[in-house]
Structure formats: structure tokens, C-alpha cells
Amino acid sequence: MRTPTTRYTILGAGVMGLCTAVELASRGVRVTLVDPRPEPGPHACSWWAGGMLAPFCEGETAEEPVIRLGQTAADWWAAQGVEVIRRGTLVLALGRDRAELDRFAARTREHQWMGGEALAALEPDLDGRFPRGLFFPTEAHLTPRVALCSLRARAAALGVAFVETAPEGQRIDCRGLAARDALPELRGVKGEMLVLRLPDLALSRPIRLLHPRIPVYLVPRGGGVYMLGATMIESAERGRASVRSVLELLSAAYALHPAFGEAEILEIGTDARPAFPDNVPRLLWRDGTLFLNGLYRHGYLMAPVLARMAADHLLSGEPVELLQ
């Protein structure tokens, strides 16, 4: 059993570092958060996330702990004062990909089959475009950039100190892919995404469009702005979106609704997600440092989970789930 301390230094001010800082500080722990650029921005993988709090949809490919533990994420974010939009997730497929929808349904739970009229009642602008789909009513989403700024403000209000150079003391490493210098088993999974503006189309919830090769999702950001993502490429490359990927993403958006042919492209973003070989995030002790890493594509879903586990473990000295 480890002896709890009352002061910790957290490395990395992305979603994992900020969640951990807030969780510890809210329990009376003195926290210093270290990042060369502690203000949220496009330098961080968290900036480019979809922000979907969708544990049951992720169950198509995710391991059981992600599905089970991720169900608590929406309430955690709401408790921090972050706006959480609870309108569920809609999963659709084009006619030629009908088998993908059946396969998705067989691999997930907590969904409802919806016919064309029911789909149109949920999203009137999709009326007549899809004969059936899956609706996951308990899922939610948030806007990552707003959530990061809100969480940073909450951390500051709780007394978290933001610095550029790490002081001495007990460290918690939340650097994501940059932690490969200590965690060689980490790998990068590149994701490319776009931000589009289309005021003439009003979609109110995340929509996943299935495809056997490149399934995509569309997340409303309000004001006719949508985040469209995201590729899954086994690469640690962080700064280049390929023409092929952008074309595939835009083609999928156009297939969802032809109005996207007139959308304005506001941003094209890319970064690399940190992942362990089994794609399950975890806590690891290495040389006296506690690492929280491997969030993969589940950053906003699983960062609160790992933050709570880290605080429980550090303050009680007892082992927790996902600790290795």
C-alpha cells in the first residue's frame, strides 16, 4: 500500500490532465499542472475530439470496461458545470450498407430500431433519406473546446497552479502520446476531421453513418456548425491530413445529406490518439510516476473514469480497476 500525499504534480494539460487536476483538487489535494502551453488549443489531441459520450455505440468495437465505466461520464461532466447535451445518438447506413446496420445492432445494446417516420420525427431534415436506423436514447455529447476551457477555469478556481516547468515531487503523467519516452508500448492512431458550417441544415444529435471501410460521425456544434470525423490510421503522424481522407469524409457527409455539398469548410484538423495494444486505457506505475494513458478514441468518455480511479488510489493507497 502506498502512502497518500497531499501534493501532486500533473504533467499534461489535455483532457486527461485537466480531469485529474479537478478530481484531486476537489478532494482537497494541492495540485500543480505542468504544460508548456497550458491554455487549451489545437496543439492538443483533446482539441480535435468529437466529444461523444456514447458508451453503447462504442461497444461495437470497445472492450467491456469502456462500455460499463463510460456510462458515468456524462454525469461527471455535468457536475463540473460543462453543458452536456442528452439527445442520444442516431446510427444510419446507406442502402448498399444495410448489413452494416444489422451487424452494428448485433454488437451493441441499449438501442431502439427506428423506421423512416420515427427517424424523421427525431431529425426532420433527414425525412425520406433513410428507411430505418438505430437510436441510442441515453447517450450524450459535449463540445470539447468549450469543455476544456470550462475545466481549466474550474481547476484554477479550485487552486490548481499552472506552470511550464515541473517542480520536484510526486508526479502523475497525463501527456498522452508524448509519454512514449516512458511507455514504449503506446502507439499512435491518427485521426483526421473537419469542421463544416451549413446553416441550412438543422441536425440536433450525433449521427454515425456506417460503412464497411470508413464509418464516420457528424456532431452538431450549434449555429449550423458540425464536426465531421474521423479516420483511424495506424500512425503517430500528427500534422498532415491526406487528400484521400478528406475526400472520403466529405463524400460521407454528402451521402448523409446532399446539402453538405454547399457546406463551408472551416477547419481541417489532425492528430494522433494514444493507445495501448488492446485499446483499453489504464493506470500504470513506472519508476515512481503514475501514468494515466491510452485513452484511444474514448478521451472524453474515459478521462473522468481514470481521474476518479487515480484519486481513489492515490488517496486510499488501495488498488483500483484498470491499474497495472
Side-chain angles (χ1 to χ4, degrees):
M1 181 181 296
R2 296 177 181 272
T3 302
T5 70
T6 58
R7 182 193 297 267
Y8 288 95
T9 296
I10 298 173
L11 308 180
V15 66
M16 188 70 261
L18 285 169
C19 285
T20 306
V22 166
E23 188 68 29
L24 283 170
S26 67
R27 302 190 193 193
V29 177
R30 296 179 64 183
V31 176
T32 299
L33 199 153
V34 183
D35 196 294
R37 292 172 292 187
E39 292 288 344
H43 55 274
C45 185
S46 309
W47 191 254
W48 301 110
M52 294 177 292
L53 307 176
F56 298 113
C57 278
E58 290 302 311
E60 183 216 2
T61 56
E63 298 295 328
E64 185 276 338
V66 173
I67 306 166
R68 172 171 48 85
L69 298 170
Q71 294 176 48
T72 64
D75 287 343
W76 188 91
W77 283 106
Q80 311 312 316
V82 174
E83 182 184 14
V84 175
I85 303 165
R86 302 175 187 261
R87 295 185 59 83
T89 305
L90 199 56
V91 181
L92 304 171
L94 299 172
R96 64 177 182 267
D97 300 322
R98 289 190 300 267
E100 292 299 310
L101 197 60
D102 294 326
R103 184 187 62 79
F104 195 95
R107 295 181 62 89
T108 57
R109 57 189 178 90
E110 304 297 327
H111 53 67
Q112 305 167 3
W113 279 103
M114 310 287 279
E117 290 186 3
L119 291 174
L122 286 175
E123 296 291 352
D125 281 0
L126 294 181
D127 187 13
R129 297 202 53 76
F130 297 91
R132 63 174 187 152
L134 291 169
F135 181 47
F136 292 75
T138 64
E139 296 190 333
H141 69 284
L142 51 73
T143 301
R145 299 177 186 184
V146 174
L148 287 173
C149 294
S150 177
L151 207 57
R152 190 191 188 285
R154 176 155 172 74
L158 288 168
V160 173
F162 291 81
V163 300
E164 295 184 6
T165 305
E168 296 297 324
Q170 176 65 65
R171 296 189 179 188
I172 304 169
D173 193 311
C174 301
R175 292 179 296 141
L177 201 57
R180 284 192 301 175
D181 56 4
L183 302 176
E185 63 269 40
L186 273 180
R187 75 187 201 282
V189 182
K190 181 181 176 181
E192 297 142 303
M193 51 76 73
L194 296 95
V195 179
L196 309 175
R197 180 187 287 130
L198 183 59
D200 294 337
L201 191 69
L203 301 174
S204 63
R205 55 181 51 80
I207 296 174
R208 298 186 182 222
L209 184 64
L210 303 181
H211 185 278
R213 186 167 55 83
I214 178 169
V216 302
Y217 52 79
L218 188 79
V219 187
R221 296 293 191 231
V225 175
Y226 299 90
M227 184 272 196
L228 175 66
T231 56
M232 300 280 291
I233 300 170
E234 291 290 330
S235 170
E237 183 182 47
R238 305 184 69 169
R240 182 185 69 91
S242 72
V243 169
R244 177 169 57 187
S245 293
V246 171
L247 284 173
E248 288 177 333
L249 289 169
L250 291 174
S251 295
Y254 183 79
L256 177 69
H257 199 294
F260 277 105
E262 300 301 320
E264 176 186 1
I265 300 175
L266 298 179
E267 296 180 55
I268 300 175
T270 181
D271 213 320
R273 314 167 181 92
F276 290 115
D278 60 0
N279 296 332
V280 175
R282 57 177 60 93
L283 302 78
L284 307 96
W285 280 103
R286 295 281 173 88
D287 299 324
T289 295
L290 180 63
F291 290 82
L292 313 183
N293 215 314
L295 292 176
Y296 186 44
R297 55 184 281 167
H298 313 304
Y300 287 80
L301 188 67
M302 291 300 289
V305 173
L306 265 66
R308 286 198 306 270
M309 288 182 177
D312 290 345
H313 172 61
L314 291 169
L315 300 182
S316 73
E318 297 294 336
V320 292
E321 189 175 356
L322 302 183
L323 176 68
Q324 292 187 5

